[in-house]
Amino acid sequence: MAKAVRFNATGGPEVLYLEEVEVGQPGPGEVRVRHVAVGLNYADTYFRNGTYPVPLPNGIGVEAAGVVVALGEGVTGLALGDRVTYTGFLNTLGAYSTERVISAAPLIKLPETIAFETAAAMTMRGLTSAYLMRRIHDFRAGDTVLLHAAAGGVGLIVSQWAKLLGLTVIGTVSTAAKAEMAMAHGCDHVINYSTEDVAKRVREITGGRGVDVVFDSVGKNTFMSSLDSLRKRGLMVCVGTASGPIPPFDPVLLAMKGSLFLTRPALADYIADPAEKADLAGELFDHVGAGRIKIEINQYYPLADAVQAHRDLESRKTTGSSIFVI
């Protein structure tokens, strides 16, 4: 029997529970994967609390890495024993498990240069960073970006990738310890939003111009200061809502603040095409395998501690990436 974390009602971390489950054999187009490591992402809390509605009861988690142990009919491009990783949305829900059956479509072959633990810590965050760096904006060396949650899992990857592109990175954090981590991973300037006015500091750092792009994963609490940090015709990228959803606003606000652009992208739309997903994954694996981008795994949990893991994540106790080890 395998073990899986599930929930049968929405709510706080306490709704999660671990149980034994029967996995079964893969059907057409499916594979059975034995997990070695499982990713913990903030998006997981959105499924748990009902922000992303799903039928209940259900599994949780959308990212893991492991080994293919059984193949269903019609599966091509994969073999028994292949090292794989995956991330997604509804099509991969249920990753908090020791073993599972899953569609072969989301699986990405994992090169030997990438450890299972690293893959589980970075597949979602890394592919998110990849499309933010390579698809959202035509960055040029010398551009300046404002990166919220710079010491988080995505933030640490984006800041390193941005430096490879020759960008200036202004990161925001909540503590002095997180500021040190952000600086060590490529941020040129760090703003502690607990004690400093973000937009004011950005204007000081940029000589009054503002930044070219803002990556905002916080949402409600930072939305206005993010807009106020942009240069004229700058781009606001809403990549998360950790502090709550952004309140409705009149789009004329974008014109008043300098003819700004705004987008709310989703990873699923940037990896839906297999060729594009392969390109992004290949570039990510190349950077990580060569050591140009380092993945920080700072929290390790057993599946049985899923409740505590979610509490730590939501209370901002974590830095870098977090994983469950099987």
Side-chain angles (χ1 to χ4, degrees), residues 235-282:
L235 173 63
M236 166 73 161
V237 185
C238 302
V239 290
T241 54
S243 67
I246 297 165
F249 68 95
D250 188 332
V252 74
L253 179 67
L254 302 177
M256 293 172 61
K257 290 185 176 294
S259 298
L260 306 178
F261 294 87
L262 182 147
T263 184
R264 203 326 182 174
L267 172 61
D269 294 319
Y270 287 85
I271 59 174
D273 177 78
E276 185 165 28
K277 180 171 70 173
D279 285 345
L280 292 174

Side-chain angles (χ1 to χ4, degrees), residues 148 216-224 226 236 238-247:
H148 287 297
D216 191 336
S217 58
V218 180
K220 180 179 67 175
N221 291 352
T222 54
F223 182 67
M224 292 305 297
S226 291
M236 166 73 161
C238 302
V239 290
T241 54
S243 67
I246 297 165

Side-chain angles (χ1 to χ4, degrees), residues 50-293:
T51 300
Y52 296 157
V54 294
L56 297 176
N58 214 318
I60 192 167
V62 296
E63 172 183 41
V67 178
V68 174
V69 294
L71 296 169
E73 181 183 355
V75 173
T76 59
L78 290 171
L80 296 180
D82 275 353
R83 306 171 76 251
V84 294
T85 187
Y86 65 84
T87 190
F89 195 66
L90 292 176
N91 62 333
T92 62
L93 194 63
Y96 287 17
S97 58
T98 57
E99 198 165 331
R100 71 179 300 189
V101 169
I102 185 173
S103 168
L107 301 185
I108 304 169
K109 283 189 178 182
L110 193 61
E112 293 290 342
T113 54
I114 308 295
F116 289 114
E117 294 80 6
T118 301
M122 75 164 190
T123 301
M124 173 175 277
R125 296 171 178 87
L127 288 175
T128 297
S129 301
Y131 86 75
L132 291 177
M133 290 286 93
R134 307 299 284 165
R135 298 292 188 271
I136 287 288
H137 183 74
D138 183 19
F139 284 112
R140 299 180 181 182
D143 284 351
T144 302
V145 300
L146 174 64
L147 174 64
H148 287 297
V154 171
L156 293 179
I157 300 174
V158 166
S159 58
Q160 294 177 79
W161 205 317
K163 297 313 296 178
L164 295 176
L165 298 178
L167 310 184
T168 297
V169 184
I170 304 172
T172 74
V173 297
S174 59
T175 68
K178 290 184 177 182
E180 290 184 11
M181 179 172 288
M183 291 291 286
H185 288 79
C187 284
D188 299 279
H189 309 272
V190 175
I191 301 170
N192 187 331
Y193 62 78
S194 298
T195 59
E196 299 178 273
D197 183 314
V198 172
K200 181 179 178 181
R201 282 290 295 127
V202 166
R203 295 293 171 181
E204 291 172 353
I205 293 168
T206 61
R209 177 179 181 271
V211 299
D212 298 279
V213 177
V214 174
F215 294 120
D216 191 336
S217 58
V218 180
K220 180 179 67 175
N221 291 352
T222 54
F223 182 67
M224 292 305 297
S225 64
S226 291
L227 294 182
D228 289 336
S229 298
L230 283 164
R231 65 165 173 82
K232 291 185 186 300
R233 298 191 296 182
L235 173 63
M236 166 73 161
V237 185
C238 302
V239 290
T241 54
S243 67
I246 297 165
F249 68 95
D250 188 332
V252 74
L253 179 67
L254 302 177
M256 293 172 61
K257 290 185 176 294
S259 298
L260 306 178
F261 294 87
L262 182 147
T263 184
R264 203 326 182 174
L267 172 61
D269 294 319
Y270 287 85
I271 59 174
D273 177 78
E276 185 165 28
K277 180 171 70 173
D279 285 345
L280 292 174
E283 190 167 355
L284 170 67
F285 292 160
D286 183 53
H287 283 317
V288 174
R292 291 186 293 270
I293 292 178

Side-chain angles (χ1 to χ4, degrees), residues 42-58:
Y42 207 90
D44 301 343
T45 70
Y46 297 155
F47 288 103
R48 190 208 71 224
N49 65 27
T51 300
Y52 296 157
V54 294
L56 297 176
N58 214 318

